[in-house]
Amino acid sequence: MAKVISIANQKGGVGKTVTSVNLSAYLAALGKKVLLVDFDPQANATSGVGVDPRKVDFGSYHILDTKIPAHEAIKPTNSLGCHIIPASFDLAGAGVELVNMKNREFRLHDAIIKVRTDFDYVIVDCPPSLGLLTINGIVASDEVLVPVQCEYYALEGLAQLLETVNLIRENLGKDIDILGAVLTMYDKRNRLDREIAKEVRRNFPGYVFDTMIPRNVDLAEAPGHGKTIFQFNPLSHGARAYKMLAEEVIKRTS
Ligand SMILES: Nc1ncnc2c1ncn2[C@@H]1O[C@H](COP(=O)(O)OP(=O)(O)OP(=O)(O)O)[C@@H](O)[C@H]1O
Ligand SMILES: [Mg+2]
C-alpha cells in the first residue's frame, strides 16, 4: 500500500513543484514505484515530467468526479518507474466546483484509494493556497512534506501550515502526520540563509530534514526541457540533494 505524501505550502514559489518532480524521480530511481499527482492548475509538475497539459484527456480534475476512475488518468512519464496523474488547465475551476460537492474535502482521497495498492509512493503537488484543492491534497495523504524557502517569513508560513494540518485532523478526523520540512534554495554563502536555516531548526526541532536543497541553476532550467534533474544533470548539486532527500524520505517512512 502506497504512502501518500502531499507537498504543501500555501506560500507561492517555495519549491513545491521542483521538489515533487525530483523527489518522485529519485524515489523511482531508487527502485520505488511512484505515482505523482499534479493537483495544481498551473500544471508545472505535469510539463516538468514531459507531459503536455493541453493534451491531457483525463487528469486530476476528472477523477474528482466519480465517473472517471483514477486508473484511467494515469500516464507514464519520461522517468522509468514514475507515473503521473497530470493536471489540466480546467483544474482551475475545481476549487469552486468542489464547494458544492458531497464530501468535498475527501474527493481526491476517495479517488486514489483504488490505485494506492499499485505504488510504493504517491506524491501530491499542491497549489499555493489553503483552499479546497490543497485541503483535498492534505486529506488524501498520510504525511505532509513542507518545502520552506530560506527567507524572512519562512517561520510564519511553516507555523500556519502546521496549524492547518492540525485543524484538518481535528475537524475531519483524518490521521495525517508531518513528514518534515525541507529547506529549499539554500545558499550557504548567504548569512541570512544560514540564520534562517538555524532558526527553523531551533523552532521546529525534529521536523526539519537533514538534507537542504541548494539554490542551483540546473534545478531551475530542467523543467524548461521537460526533464527531471536526474535526466537533465545528475551530477549537479541539485541532483545530489534530491537523491539524498529521497533516501531520507524512504528512511523516515519505513
Ligand atoms: N533549488 C532551487 N534552485 C534554483 N531555483 C529553484 C530551486 N527550486 C525552485 N527553483 C525555481 O524557483 C521557482 C519556484 O519553484 P517551484 O515552481 O518549485 O515553486 P512552487 O512552490 O511549486 O511554486 P507555486 O507556489 O507557484 O506552485 C521556479 O522558477 C523554480 O525553477
Ligand atoms: Mg508549484
Side-chain angles (χ1 to χ4, degrees), residues 90-107:
D90 43 11
L91 185 62
V96 175
E97 289 167 34
L98 279 166
V99 173
N100 294 313
M101 287 189 186
K102 242 187 6 188
N103 283 331
R104 58 186 186 184
E105 296 93 353
F106 288 85
R107 301 303 287 220

Side-chain angles (χ1 to χ4, degrees), residues 16-17 40 42 44 125-126 128:
K16 291 181 289 296
T17 301
D40 183 346
Q42 298 177 91
N44 294 335
D125 184 25
C126 293

Side-chain angles (χ1 to χ4, degrees), residues 12-18 40 42 128 185 213-216 219-220:
V14 297
K16 291 181 289 296
T17 301
V18 167
D40 183 346
Q42 298 177 91
M185 298 183 230
I213 307 300
R215 188 172 279 285
N216 174 232
L219 286 172

Side-chain angles (χ1 to χ4, degrees), residues 53-72:
R54 288 165 305 187
K55 294 188 181 146
V56 167
D57 51 355
F58 299 132
S60 53
Y61 171 71
H62 306 90
I63 63 171
L64 299 177
D65 182 342
T66 44
K67 286 199 279 285
I68 307 293
H71 68 83
E72 285 193 32

Side-chain angles (χ1 to χ4, degrees), residues 3 27 30 62 78 90 104 151 159 180 185 198 202 212 225 232 246:
K3 275 260 178 242
L27 286 171
L30 291 166
H62 306 90
N78 50 17
D90 43 11
R104 58 186 186 184
E151 48 150 33
M185 298 183 230
K198 213 162 85 184
R202 203 168 61 82
M212 294 199 261
H225 300 264
F232 184 68

